[in-house]
Structures are given as C-alpha cells and as structure tokens.
Amino acid sequence: MVEMTYREALRQALADAMTENPDIILLGEEVGRYGGAYGVTRDLIKEFGAHRVIDTPISEAAIVGAAVGAAMTGLRPVAELMYVDFIGMTMDQLANQAAKIRYMFGGQIGVPMVLRTQGGTGRSAGAQHSQSLEAYVMHTPGLRLAMPATVADAYHLLRQAMTCPDPVVFIEHKALYTMKEDVDLAAEPLPWGKAAVRRAGDDLVIVTYSRQVHHAMAAAATLAAQGIEATVIDLRTLNPLDFDTIRPFVERAGRAMVVSEGVMTAGVGAELSARITEECFDFLHDPVVRVAGEDIPISVSPALEAGSVPGPALIAETALRMLA
Amino acid sequence: MTPPFPTGSNSDLGRLYRTMRRVRSFEERVGELFVRGQSAGSMLHLSIGEESAAVGVCAAMKPQDTFTTHHRGHGIFLARGADPNRMMAEIGGKEAGYCHGKGGSMHIADMGLGHLGANAIVGGGIPAVVGAGLSARHKGNGAVSVAFFGDGATGQGILYESMNMAALWKLPVLFCCINNQYGMGTRIDNATANTALHERALAFGLAAETVDGLDVEAVAEAARRLVDGARAGRPAFLAVDCYRFFGHARKDKSPYRDPAEEDEGRMKDPVAHARARLIDTGMTAAALDAMDGEIDAEMDATIDFTIAQTEPPLASMFRDVYAPTEPEPEPVRARIARVLART
C-alpha cells in the first residue's frame, strides 16, 4: 500500500499506460510545459516528449476533433478539456462525430479516445467553471462515461478507459485532486462498468458517484450512529450503468435515494430514480428521493456555492425523514 | 487507391476526363434514384459542376492517404475508387451499402480507401485530418490527410482552429475548399466580405492557392504541388472555384438564383471543357461517346443493383453503437415488457 493523491493516481495511470503503449498521446491546453491546469500531467512532457504530450492552442473543438481523427488512424489519444464547462465548445465533435462514427459507418471503425476533464464545485470558480454536466454526456448514446470517486478508481478507471474500444468521457472532480488514500495499485481492480458497494446496510440505499460518494459515506456514518444502516453504491461509470448491482440492495431495503451534484431537473438522478422505480416498484416503501444540485447556476460566494449542492448534512437529513 | 482507368486515353487528361465523367454519370443516377422513390430520403447533394475538384485532388493522393468530405462528397469518394454499386446501395439505405444503410449519402465512409467519413455537419469533418496528420507524423507512414469542404464551411470556426493547428505543427494536411459559390441558398459574397478564400489560409502560415475548377488539369497540377508539399511538412489550402449546377439538395429548385446567373455558371463545365480539349488533341468524338456509353451503362446498373438489395434487418439497429465485444443497448420494447411483467 502506498499513500497517494487522486491527482497523483491519475498521473500515474497516464505514465504507466504511455510506457506500455507507444500509441497513446496526450493533447490539450497546458498539458505539456505547464503540466495541466490541475497538475495531472506534470512533467509528462519531460518523460515522453513534446510529440506525445502536445500543448494545443485554446481550441477545444479542434482538440476533440483532432483526437477523433487520431483515434481513427491508429493512435490512442487522451485529450484534456480543462473544465467540463467548456464541453459546449466541443459538443459537435463529441456528440455528432466521436459518439456516432462507429454507428454511422456501419461498424467499420471505432473512436478509441479518452476525453479527460474535470467538473464540480469546491473552489469558488463560478458559474462557468464549477458545473456538473455529466447528464449531457449520459444523454448521448455511443459515449462511455466514467467518474471516479476514489484514488484507486482514479488510477484504474483511467487505465481501463485507455483500453476501451469506444470514446470515453472521463470526468474528474476538482475537489478531489488533493485527497489522499492508501492504495495498492497492483491489486485486481473491479471490472470496467461495475459499480462498487462502498458500504452495505439494510435500511436504505444511496446511489451516487464522484465526490458525492464521500458525502454519502459521511452521512452514512452519521446515520449509523443513530442505528440506521445505509448501503452506499458508487456507480464509477454512468455508461455503462450497472443496474444489476443496485437492484438487490434496493429490493432488500425498500428505500432508495439517488445523489448527484448536477442540477436536479433532467439530471442523472432523474434517470436513476426512474430506473429504480420501474424495476423495483413492488419493493419500494417510499418514492425514490433525488438529492441533487439546485436548479440554479453556481455562485462564486463560497456560502452560496456550498449551499447549492448536496452535502453530508442534506443526505443524512433526507435519510432520517425517509425512515421517520 | 489509384482510380480505375482501365479504358480510354492513356493521357492524364483522358484519365481525368473519364473519372469526371463517371462522377457526372453517377450523380445523375443519384437524381434518378430519388425520382424513382428508391433513395433513402431527399438529403441528396449533387456535385455536378464540381467534378474537377474531386477528380483533380484525388489524382494527387497516394494509397496511404486519408480524407474526410462534406455532405456533397459522392464525387470525391468515387474519384478515390469507390464501388459505385455499394455507394448507390448506401444512398438507397440498403444493407449492401458501404455502411449497411446506417450512413447514407451524408455519412458514407470506407476505411479501406482511407475515407474517414462524409459529414452532415458543415465543417464537422475538418479537424479529423489534424488528428490523422498527428497519426501520420507519429507513425512516420508518409500519409497525407485531405479535408474536403465547401465554401459554406469557411463560416465555421472549426476550420480556423484546424488550419492553425496544422500550420503550427507542420502536419501533412491539405484543406481543400470546393467553392461552388453557394452555402445552401446563400451566395458566397452574401456570406463573407473577402471572397478570396485562400488568403485566410495564408494568414495562418499555410501554403495556399485558388485554382479555376473549369480546368481539371490545372486543379490536378495545383493539387499535386500542394499534396506533395504537405507530405514534406508544408500543410496547405486549395480553393477550387466552380459552380453548383443544381440546387442545394434534391428538392431545391434554386429560386434564389437568377436564371441568367445559372446559365452562365453552367457554362463553366469541367467535363465539357476536358472533352473539348481531348478532341483538340486528337481524340475522336466517337471514341469519347463510346467511353461515355460504357460509363452510363455501368452507372445505370447501380440503380438496378440498389433496387434489388434488401433493407437492413431491424435488429441491426442496435448493432455498432458500441464495439462488438460490448452488450448492445436494450431495446425499449424489452425494457417496457420487463417493467410490466413484474408480479
């Protein structure tokens, strides 16, 4: 076991994969000399050279488009989008090109690329640098979507993404980069597409992903002190979505809460809630409850920012009301 | 892939003429397929009048080269050596088509010929050639990648992002703008103040030229110069001036164009021009007519071929969303049945 940060695990995944596979290239704004806006690619340019760690102009659409073309011609590009908030700039290349090329061309070729980006609140970065836009991606068939919550998953999910035959959007959480955990990177990881049961309990199931896993775990500890045992499921990937792991826990507990940092309306929680309601209807004692970001933009004010997204207190309070 | 030139003149012009004539004939049959109700929809964009761009540039490309096209790309793919039967079948939405009926006219592709895909988003296929250029540099395989697009795409930011990257990284890339004067119904001088389109590329540091599309030999010569340069690390831009003889898509009768302008535009016919030049250089009209007849018969047969083909099976709609090793998406009907079957 070694102690490392989420950021270091991501960097390690890139370095290890690039060492193994000479066809992996990185491209994006500031990924080279600067080392990445959040330091994930620090010094990789020294190790692998400027031809494999490519600093680009500020041209998000062309970064993703170039990754598409590179992936179709034999490379395994890992493009970096500095903030997921910039995904709108890339949406044609991502949703109309990368996501549909295999299908439109009748299965002739896939687009094995990874788009690394980061999102979420926690740094007073304001309305255009703090969003959780995973629902945009999840709504597009053809795109895989991974959102690691733990240091081990930061490493393993990114390694797995770099072997995926289809385009993967890989969304890191900006508030997790400095989080440290003890990890054994040599240990066998969960398969790609499999959810992790972070905690098992028979009273309530909390289904979540990314940073909210930690908030859910904190809430579960609070609940446990009051005699309530919650299951916490970390989805790890939103596409594929592992409903098979969710189902038996919901059937046993009869109560489910879905937690996401993104805004509530038409969000990931809406899809999860619908799936649980449809598939576990006869087992539910209560409606599936969505805990989600407010339907508002994110403010710079730390108070307003923190107030607009779920935290341990809201999750625990909601659970207590469900079980009252 | 070398275009097929099994018959006709051995001169370069003869080969270029023959390929242009095949494109013209194919496009006319695409129109006929539509009229006969056998095309998959009416999103059919003919390149009649623009044949010299497709044929001249493809003549300068090598087998390892790759390319993307816009939505008006039948001629380019055919000039590259595509099988017209499989093309027409794709335009008809049939299983035997290049993309098994999922792509159609605007999303046709063939990795075997380096066709990285036609595109229905204006400018959408342009940045892929930057990536292909990075691949070529990385692998050292000497491949050039060509982005074909229309003058309409010069209004899209992605073109400039891509030209900047290609110039910055000295990638083996050619941006080929087929300037048929119209983006849908808007003439180029209603869309931009400076219609000397290659000047934009010069500003980015690309080698850039405009060539008159009336003369396929001039197009081929310019393309050879620029493609060779791109292969040597000097990315380039070529604008081919021509005129879109017919409407934007099959149902468009071009009411926004002055008939006199159309008459004048259709005088700039690269196929007729090449034919006249061949006769000047000693070919007989009879020999050319014989070649044309063979081509027309070949292209007529694509319609019969297409009509005889089957639709793709319904279950194939779930195929190829993801890699074949992955589970297919669960059909909505199956999900509904599962939900309603609970006890």
Side-chain angles (χ1 to χ4, degrees):
Chain A
M1 299 284 267
V2 291
E3 188 185 62
M4 62 167 44
T5 62
Y6 186 86
R7 173 184 7 242
E8 288 163 348
L10 293 162
R11 186 189 180 284
Q12 190 68 47
L14 293 171
D16 289 353
M18 291 179 79
T19 301
E20 281 180 22
N21 182 351
D23 288 335
I24 294 178
I25 61 163
L26 310 185
L27 73 164
E29 297 155 8
E30 311 296 349
V31 298
R33 291 165 191 85
Y34 192 97
Y38 281 87
V40 172
T41 56
R42 181 150 299 149
D43 289 339
L44 289 176
I45 192 170
K46 291 182 185 161
E47 213 168 318
F48 298 101
H51 276 52
R52 291 186 68 193
V53 182
I54 302 169
D55 279 320
T56 67
I58 302 170
S59 304
E60 286 89 4
I63 291 166
V64 175
V68 169
M72 293 179 77
T73 50
L75 293 186
R76 260 208 168 272
V78 179
E80 180 173 317
L81 182 64
M82 195 184 288
Y83 286 79
V84 76
D85 310 70
F86 310 161
I87 202 168
M89 310 295 294
T90 76
M91 218 49 172
D92 176 57
Q93 291 302 317
L94 194 59
N96 280 326
Q97 315 298 338
K100 294 180 174 61
I101 278 172
R102 184 189 293 281
Y103 193 82
M104 292 191 300
F105 302 166
Q108 290 183 56
I109 192 157
V111 183
M113 60 174 278
V114 177
L115 181 63
R116 273 189 53 246
T117 185
Q118 57 80 28
T121 57
R123 292 182 62 91
S124 289
Q128 297 173 343
H129 284 70
S130 304
Q131 297 171 87
S132 298
L133 300 179
E134 56 272 17
Y136 290 9
V137 178
M138 197 181 182
H139 197 63
T140 303
L143 297 177
R144 298 302 194 185
L145 174 58
M147 296 187 70
T150 67
V151 172
D153 276 350
Y155 181 84
H156 290 301
L157 286 175
L158 185 51
R159 287 301 303 270
Q160 290 167 338
M162 286 184 280
T163 64
C164 182
D166 293 307
V168 179
V169 178
F170 190 92
I171 309 179
E172 299 152 15
H173 198 294
K174 65 170 67 61
L176 296 179
Y177 281 125
T178 56
M179 178 183 70
K180 284 183 180 168
E181 284 175 354
D182 286 326
V183 289
D184 175 9
L185 295 183
E188 186 67 19
L190 277 177
W192 173 257
K194 184 90 180 145
V197 180
R198 299 294 178 198
R199 186 186 191 288
D202 285 345
D203 296 321
L204 167 76
V205 181
I206 304 173
V207 183
T208 186
Y209 55 94
S210 190
R211 184 198 195 186
Q212 292 296 331
V213 170
H214 301 284
H215 290 341
M217 290 297 282
T222 304
L223 294 168
Q226 300 180 50
I228 295 167
E229 293 299 330
T231 291
V232 175
I233 294 176
D234 172 3
L235 291 170
R236 302 171 74 244
T237 59
L238 296 176
N239 184 346
L241 180 65
D242 177 15
F243 199 78
D244 289 342
T245 294
I246 298 172
R247 186 183 290 107
F249 284 95
V250 174
E251 289 181 356
R252 191 151 59 240
R255 289 187 173 83
M257 178 198 302
V258 295
V259 184
S260 57
E261 190 170 316
V263 303
M264 181 180 277
T265 299
V268 173
E271 173 62 24
L272 293 171
S273 170
R275 288 287 288 269
I276 294 170
T277 302
E278 283 182 333
E279 309 226 358
C280 308
F281 186 79
D282 293 334
F283 298 87
L284 293 173
H285 306 308
D286 289 314
V288 178
V289 175
R290 282 179 290 166
V291 175
E294 302 288 351
D295 283 322
I296 58 173
I298 305 292
S299 294
V300 164
S301 149
L304 297 184
E305 179 189 39
S308 64
V309 297
L314 179 60
I315 297 168
E317 177 193 318
T318 305
L320 287 172
R321 292 185 62 183
M322 289 173 74
L323 286 152
Chain B
M1 195 61 50
T2 310
F5 311 124
T7 61
S9 165
N10 286 326
S11 74
D12 278 353
L13 181 59
R15 285 148 45 122
L16 294 169
Y17 170 78
R18 182 169 190 281
T19 310
M20 287 201 296
R21 190 63 185 67
R22 290 181 85 238
V23 171
R24 173 76 52 99
S25 183
F26 181 84
E27 293 286 50
E28 288 166 353
R29 269 80 191 158
V30 172
E32 190 181 333
L33 194 76
F34 170 72
V35 169
R36 290 172 64 173
Q38 297 289 332
S39 66
S42 62
M43 299 289 243
L44 302 169
H45 308 88
L46 304 187
S47 64
I48 293 175
E50 309 171 17
E51 294 88 348
S52 63
V55 174
V57 176
C58 285
M61 292 168 66
K62 290 188 173 176
Q64 71 269 31
D65 295 345
T66 59
F67 62 106
T68 61
T69 81
H70 54 343
H71 57 287
R72 202 177 299 283
H74 301 157
I76 300 158
F77 191 22
L78 202 60
R80 181 68 172 165
D83 172 355
N85 279 330
R86 289 181 68 200
M87 279 185 73
M88 196 65 87
E90 187 60 37
I91 292 164
K94 298 298 179 70
E95 169 74 5
Y98 270 101
C99 306
H100 309 302
K102 282 177 174 158
S105 167
M106 296 197 291
H107 308 300
I108 204 161
D110 180 48
M111 299 310 126
L113 292 174
H115 190 353
L116 303 181
N119 221 295
I121 306 296
V122 173
I126 294 172
V129 303
V130 174
L134 287 172
S135 284
R137 184 177 78 175
H138 189 82
K139 293 175 179 296
N141 60 9
V144 170
S145 196
V146 181
F148 291 94
F149 50 91
D151 46 290
T154 63
Q156 294 280 33
I158 191 73
L159 171 63
Y160 305 102
E161 294 187 19
S162 301
M163 291 202 300
N164 182 50
M165 285 184 180
L168 178 68
W169 298 330
K170 300 180 170 53
L171 296 177
V173 165
L174 173 68
F175 298 92
C176 180
C177 178
I178 303 176
N179 181 2
N180 67 15
Q181 315 301 318
Y182 279 87
M184 204 165 163
T186 300
R187 204 168 62 189
I188 184 71
D189 56 358
N190 284 328
T192 192
N194 180 0
T195 57
L197 301 178
H198 72 279
E199 290 181 4
R200 301 170 190 206
L202 290 173
F204 283 92
L206 295 164
E209 299 181 24
T210 291
V211 64
D212 184 356
L214 179 64
D215 182 353
V216 69
E217 288 179 297
V219 176
E221 175 55 31
R224 191 171 302 117
R225 198 163 51 238
L226 295 177
V227 169
D228 288 352
R231 211 178 300 283
R234 294 188 299 280
F237 179 102
L238 177 63
V240 183
D241 271 344
C242 47
Y243 191 77
R244 193 186 74 202
F245 280 18
F246 298 103
H248 163 67
R250 271 296 64 196
K251 288 183 172 174
D252 173 22
K253 305 289 184 219
S254 313
Y256 44 84
R257 299 205 293 203
D258 183 340
E261 179 204 293
E262 288 198 333
D263 289 344
E264 190 188 332
R266 289 176 188 153
M267 297 296 286
K268 297 175 189 159
D269 183 338
V271 180
H273 182 79
R275 183 184 169 96
R277 289 257 298 125
L278 284 169
I279 287 173
D280 283 348
T281 56
M283 275 197 80
T284 65
L288 289 166
D289 288 345
M291 177 166 41
D292 292 356
E294 272 176 42
I295 289 168
D296 288 344
E298 180 198 4
M299 297 306 170
D300 279 341
T302 66
I303 294 179
D304 299 332
F305 175 84
T306 296
I307 291 171
Q309 297 306 309
T310 56
E311 304 265 351
L314 202 56
S316 75
M317 83 167 94
F318 300 102
R319 200 177 297 151
D320 299 322
V321 183
Y322 303 101
T325 49
E326 301 292 310
E328 291 179 359
E330 187 180 11
V332 166
R333 282 180 176 75
R335 289 173 64 163
I336 292 170
R338 194 154 42 77
V339 169
L340 296 181
R342 68 193 157 67
T343 53

